[in-house]
Amino acid sequence: MAWDWSSIGSVFATLLFLRTAYRDFLPPEFHRFISLLLRGIMARFDNDAKIVVEEYDDVTCSTNELYGAAQTYLGDRCLEDAAVVRLTKTRDSLLPAASLPGYHTTYDSFQGIPLQWASVVVAQADGSSRSGRSSRPVENHSLELTFHRRHRHTVRSLYIPHVLKEAKRIEIASRQRRLFTNRTDTIFSDGHRNPWSPVPFSHPSTFDTLAIDPALRDDIRRDLLRFVGRRDYYARVGRSWKRGYLLHGPPGTGKTSLIAAIANLLEFDVYDLELTAVHSNTALRRLLAATTPKSVVVIEDADCSLDLTDRKKKKKNKQDEKNAKTGEAEEEPTPASDRSGFPTVSLSGVLNFVDGLWSSSVGERLMILTTNHPERLDPAMLRPGRMDRKIHLSYCGPEAFRVLARNYLEVGEEHPRMVEAEELLREVEMTPAEVAEVFMRCDAEGEGADAAMDEVVIEMRRRKQEAAAASVGEIQGECQGN
């Protein structure tokens, strides 16, 4: 059939009339029905399924966590061969992070399933709030994940959790870990203020540089790695995912270095809690609630921070003093405030902080207490569940001395002074800090290592002679007394 311009014009006029009639005369419900019908017909010929991950959640008007996790995952796994990569760096990150820029596509695979990620940017129709200010970006960003529809269950139940888990691991490995201390300029009456003040944590101590007994060091490391890998176990037995360590021993035996090595091994943040700066049990609970998962909460010199001593001993001493007095003596009430007029933290508050209901409000966490005198602490502080392990760090032994000599002087067991130094250490008491101080006074290069070994042996001999002289003096004093 021959077509002329008049016939073509009639066809276009008819189509225009039908379009106008469809749009203006048919109800919206019919429009939606036709749209769904057409989509169903098209879907029968399309084998691909698609998941859209938008940057913002329209319901809560907050950032979609899955969007950020997917960008982190793609930046680490799928953008090595990409022609264009977007780099960003946050304050807590050590290195810039790559992400998929808008209007670009990358590919991934999971259990043999080919996957396609596309970054989509759509201009927002209304980018202002009721107040007239811009409440969200002008452009809406989203990620579209495309795959074959027969793999829908695997993608939703296995691949998406895999992306979230890998993204979390990448963020922890790339972020700048921090050391927190509690603020002293507020009573924390404002619940929205962060009560912790952070600084970058860059302590170089590791388990390989710890000057402690190798068997104890390896046992601690195994215990820590077992703890972080038992999330499901703790949930199954009904316990909070936390563990308590009590580090005790003479000053200079490496308690602080061990804490830093633990944080570096597990890649945890460190919260250094100064109890004397906390004015009430309520403030202590707020401090605990403001900590983050994967953290180490440290209370150093617990026996000196507050009155956490044995209550039975205190009660007995008070009773003895009362009986020794001739007149009537009233029992002293438990102080409810310090000299500044603020309420103080009680032993009960610290016990609940370590192992109360509030202690389970955060994820995996280590609680570490250090003391030079564990016998001064109340037994309730030391029971299992609060302090699960009690680690005694003693004076420098032969094994620890070898570690110090290797770290500071780069010498091994073949050094001629090593045997004598190890024999002396079995008779004298020197802390690892004292040995390290002797090493640091000498140059570790060239002949400095030999000089340092000579110097530390001389110091050990001197201490041995002093200990022998003191022992002789005590014996003579006892003889004269008799």
Side-chain angles (χ1 to χ4, degrees), residues 204-223:
S205 178
T206 65
F207 270 78
D208 293 332
T209 61
L210 284 178
I212 62 176
D213 182 73
L216 176 61
R217 177 196 62 200
D218 295 340
D219 183 49
I220 296 173
R221 177 159 41 194
R222 284 193 301 268
D223 185 72

Side-chain angles (χ1 to χ4, degrees), residues 75 95 114 119 135 145 150 162 201 226 258 278 304 353 357 370 383 457:
L95 298 172
S119 180
S135 59
L145 174 61
R150 66 171 174 267
H162 168 74
F201 179 76
R226 181 170 58 247
L258 177 56
V278 185
C304 302
F353 176 86
L357 290 176
T370 70
R383 70 163 178 79
V457 168

Side-chain angles (χ1 to χ4, degrees), residues 24 51 64 125 135 195 229 236 274 283 296 337 341 389 393 399 431 477:
D24 298 340
I51 294 178
N64 186 358
S135 59
R236 179 169 59 85
E274 178 56 53
V296 181
S337 62
R389 287 206 57 175
L393 300 178
E399 297 84 0
T431 65

Side-chain angles (χ1 to χ4, degrees), residues 239 355 379-390:
R239 293 190 57 176
D355 188 39
M381 286 285 297
L382 308 180
R383 70 163 178 79
R386 291 193 175 109
M387 295 294 107
D388 302 291
R389 287 206 57 175
K390 302 171 183 64

Side-chain angles (χ1 to χ4, degrees), residues 44-58:
R44 292 180 178 273
F45 299 97
D46 188 5
N47 292 324
D48 289 337
K50 185 177 295 185
I51 294 178
V52 178
V53 182
E54 295 184 346
E55 184 179 9
Y56 291 93
D57 186 355
D58 293 334

Side-chain angles (χ1 to χ4, degrees), residues 23 134 138 248 281 296 342 350 455:
R23 184 181 62 183
S134 177
V138 178
H248 61 96
N281 293 337
V296 181
F342 293 116
V350 177
E455 185 70 22

Side-chain angles (χ1 to χ4, degrees), residues 31-104:
H31 296 173
R32 288 193 291 269
F33 172 75
I34 295 298
S35 177
L36 292 175
L37 180 62
L38 292 176
R39 290 181 182 178
I41 295 174
M42 295 299 296
R44 292 180 178 273
F45 299 97
D46 188 5
N47 292 324
D48 289 337
K50 185 177 295 185
I51 294 178
V52 178
V53 182
E54 295 184 346
E55 184 179 9
Y56 291 93
D57 186 355
D58 293 334
V59 177
T60 61
C61 296
S62 60
T63 303
N64 186 358
E65 181 181 352
L66 180 56
Y67 179 88
Q71 285 284 21
T72 302
Y73 172 82
L74 294 175
D76 184 74
R77 298 286 301 273
C78 309
L79 300 183
E80 295 182 357
D81 301 328
V84 180
V85 175
R86 182 175 61 185
L87 293 178
T88 56
K89 184 181 183 303
T90 61
R91 180 178 300 178
D92 296 336
S93 299
L94 296 175
L95 298 172
S99 60
L100 185 64
Y103 310 105
H104 286 76

